[in-house]
Amino acid sequence: RYGGSDLTALKSLFSSLMLLDPSVEFYYLDETGSIIAHSAGSEIALRKSIDLTPIREFIDAPGNFPLHADDPKNIQTRKIFSASPIFKNGELQGYLYVILGSQQYDSILAELQESQALREFILFVSAGLAALLVVMLVLFKFITSPLRQLSHDMIAFRQAGYKLSKAQLSQQTWCADSRSEIDKLGCAFNELFAHVDAQFHALERTNEQRKEMLADLSHDLRTPLASMNGYIETLQLQGDALSSEDKAKFMAICMRNMNNLKQLIDQIFELAYLEGGQVSLACEPVVLGEFLHDIVTKFSLAARDKNISINVEPKQFECFVNTDLAKLERVLSNLIDNAIRHTPGNGNVTIRATTADKYIILGVEDTGIGIKAGELKDIFLPRYQASNSRKEAGHNVGLGLAISQKLVLLLGSTLQVKSRPGEGTCFSFSLKKA
């Protein structure tokens, strides 16, 4: 019924049609749905027959689309198709079954879809990377903004000559309790700025004080020199005409001025050595009670001349301290000399020793004129003299307390002062027990 020459011609026709449209597959089915011929070439269809139900539905009701029928090359899928009955002499011979979308077309379409998915994936990754880059740039700017402000502040501080008042700093507020290292760094820089600025102000004040001290010392040096020069010229020019009493008087004045000049020069050199750090300590164990009584004996004559009582409290005590004996004597001599000079007759000067844990606190107390509260902070400055101090010509040059404070600092303590005008003054410092 199906001659071999007819099948061969049909296959040739199918092959020609496949060349015109590779996306279409042609099958010739008999009246039962069995596959008689196809355009697949050497490929073998997995199905031997096709279910005719959708084909007949397609032919009988052509408007009911889309319809799907069996895929000859895949027993698990169904595809869109087209079909037409074949009649010979009015008798149904079979069907022309056309698959719209061959397996080759599906492979190409799958590859295209995979390529599209790949492009979409690349596009998605690119968009994600771009978004990540933008976020990182914003985050980087947020993190580095405080660092840029710190850099700006440092440059501005340097350009202002390290003076905080002249520097145009940013208004960034740093939190010292923050966990951020940048906040901690900002606080550290602010403290550094304040410290450097304070140091510059301190240097400027020290420079001004040095200038004032040099001017005052120049005056103090010229005064005894001028006095000595005048009396020596008088002795030189009128020596024969002067009586022995006048010569002795003039020589005594010259000697007093020379001693005052020597004392001033010694104090200037001593202060210079102390400020230059050229003084070393020679510490040794010292019996403090015996030493204090020796100091009192040294000043007993001066105290008796002014009718001042000078004592050690307690009168008897045994205690060793580890200190530099010469420097301790220098400090106490300055303090006791000041106390006697500023205490009126019938007054008292007391050197008091108090035990406190590992230390002995030494105090020099007097019942003198006292110091005003507003002047206490300045009395250790070189050349400073309280407004109510008793100035003895050529004797008090205002360096004693400055020297004493620096010596006490060398001994490992600080010279403290308490005073009430009209009631007296107490200078105290501590010494470590041996």
Side-chain angles (χ1 to χ4, degrees):
R1 210 164 116 187
Y2 305 103
S5 60
D6 293 336
L7 290 177
T8 301
L10 186 59
K11 290 180 178 180
S12 176
L13 176 62
F14 285 170
S15 298
S16 299
L17 292 173
M18 283 286 291
L19 291 176
L20 294 176
D21 190 354
S23 66
V24 179
E25 295 177 358
F26 296 91
Y27 296 88
Y28 179 58
L29 309 178
D30 64 8
E31 65 275 13
T32 63
S34 298
I35 299 174
I36 303 301
H38 57 80
S39 63
S42 60
E43 297 180 7
I44 301 175
L46 294 179
R47 294 180 186 268
K48 300 301 182 181
S49 64
I50 300 298
D51 182 11
L52 294 179
T53 302
I55 295 175
R56 290 170 180 166
E57 183 180 353
F58 174 82
I59 295 172
D60 296 338
N64 189 15
F65 299 134
L67 294 174
H68 294 79
D70 295 338
D71 180 4
K73 293 184 178 180
N74 192 329
I75 60 176
Q76 295 180 352
T77 61
R78 295 167 67 84
K79 287 190 173 184
I80 296 175
F81 69 95
S82 180
S84 177
I86 300 174
F87 294 94
K88 183 177 181 180
N89 299 324
E91 184 179 352
L92 179 66
Q93 298 294 313
Y95 300 93
L96 179 62
Y97 182 55
V98 180
I99 295 298
L100 304 179
S102 65
Q103 191 176 43
Q104 182 181 5
Y105 175 80
D106 289 343
S107 298
I108 295 173
L109 181 61
E111 291 178 1
L112 291 175
Q113 289 176 344
E114 289 179 359
S115 177
Q116 178 66 22
L118 179 61
R119 287 196 299 271
E120 290 178 355
F121 175 75
I122 293 175
L123 181 61
F124 175 77
V125 170
S126 300
L129 290 176
L132 180 62
L133 178 61
V134 172
V135 172
M136 291 184 66
L137 288 174
V138 173
L139 184 61
F140 180 77
K141 182 178 180 181
F142 174 76
I143 293 175
T144 58
S145 177
L147 293 176
R148 288 196 300 272
Q149 292 179 353
L150 277 178
S151 177
H152 169 270
D153 289 349
M154 294 181 66
I155 294 173
F157 188 59
R158 182 183 61 191
Q159 291 176 346
Y162 302 99
K163 294 183 178 179
L164 197 58
S165 59
K166 296 183 179 180
Q168 299 294 327
L169 303 182
S170 64
Q171 301 301 318
Q172 177 71 31
T173 301
W174 307 104
C175 180
D177 298 330
S178 173
R179 294 184 178 180
S180 171
E181 287 79 4
I182 298 178
D183 274 340
K184 295 179 180 178
L185 184 62
C187 292
F189 272 112
N190 282 344
E191 293 175 1
L192 176 64
F193 292 159
H195 181 71
V196 171
D197 185 66
Q199 290 293 321
F200 266 92
H201 283 297
L203 288 174
E204 290 177 350
R205 288 194 301 270
T206 302
N207 187 43
E208 292 298 324
Q209 291 169 3
R210 287 182 182 275
K211 290 179 181 179
E212 294 176 1
M213 185 177 70
L214 286 174
D216 292 339
L217 290 176
S218 299
H219 176 268
D220 289 337
L221 288 170
R222 284 198 302 267
T223 301
L225 284 174
S227 177
M228 290 171 59
N229 183 67
Y231 285 106
I232 291 174
E233 284 184 354
T234 302
L235 289 172
Q236 182 181 18
L237 297 176
Q238 304 178 16
D240 296 336
L242 295 175
S243 64
S244 298
E245 292 79 7
D246 289 336
K247 289 180 181 180
K249 179 181 177 181
F250 291 169
M251 288 300 296
I253 294 173
C254 288
M255 287 297 297
R256 186 167 62 250
N257 284 322
M258 185 177 66
N259 290 332
N260 291 337
L261 186 61
K262 180 180 181 300
Q263 181 185 10
L264 175 59
I265 293 173
D266 288 343
Q267 288 185 343
I268 292 173
F269 275 106
E270 185 176 11
L271 183 61
Y273 279 121
L274 289 171
E275 289 185 341
Q278 302 176 16
V279 180
S280 59
L281 293 177
C283 294
E284 58 181 327
V286 177
V287 182
L288 189 59
E290 181 180 341
F291 172 73
L292 294 180
H293 283 287
D294 290 341
I295 292 290
V296 168
T297 302
K298 175 182 174 181
F299 287 91
S300 60
L301 183 60
R304 187 168 61 250
D305 290 342
K306 292 190 64 174
N307 196 25
I308 294 174
S309 174
I310 180 169
N311 302 292
V312 176
E313 292 292 341
K315 294 186 180 298
Q316 298 294 330
F317 68 98
E318 295 294 332
C319 182
F320 284 84
V321 292
N322 190 31
T323 187
D324 188 310
L325 185 61
K327 293 178 177 56
L328 178 59
E329 181 179 1
R330 183 77 174 93
V331 172
L332 289 175
S333 295
N334 279 342
L335 296 179
I336 295 172
D337 182 65
N338 282 344
I340 293 174
R341 191 169 63 252
H342 293 94
T343 301
N346 299 318
N348 296 303
V349 174
T350 303
I351 297 90
R352 193 181 305 279
T354 306
T355 301
D357 196 14
K358 298 180 180 181
Y359 296 89
I360 296 294
I361 300 175
L362 283 183
V364 177
E365 305 173 8
D366 63 57
T367 57
I369 59 176
I371 305 171
K372 296 179 180 179
E375 298 179 334
L376 291 177
K377 65 180 184 302
D378 297 322
I379 61 173
F380 296 112
L381 297 177
R383 296 292 301 156
Y384 183 84
Q385 298 183 41
S387 59
N388 60 346
S389 63
R390 296 182 176 179
K391 302 175 177 62
E392 299 178 13
H395 183 79
N396 183 21
V397 293
L399 297 179
L401 286 178
I403 293 172
S404 297
Q405 178 68 286
K406 293 186 180 299
L407 288 172
V408 170
L409 289 173
L410 283 175
L411 295 176
S413 183
T414 303
L415 192 56
Q416 306 288 337
V417 58
K418 296 180 180 179
S419 183
R420 301 182 71 177
E423 297 182 10
T425 303
C426 176
F427 288 92
S428 62
F429 60 96
S430 62
L431 294 173
K432 191 173 183 180
K433 294 180 181 178

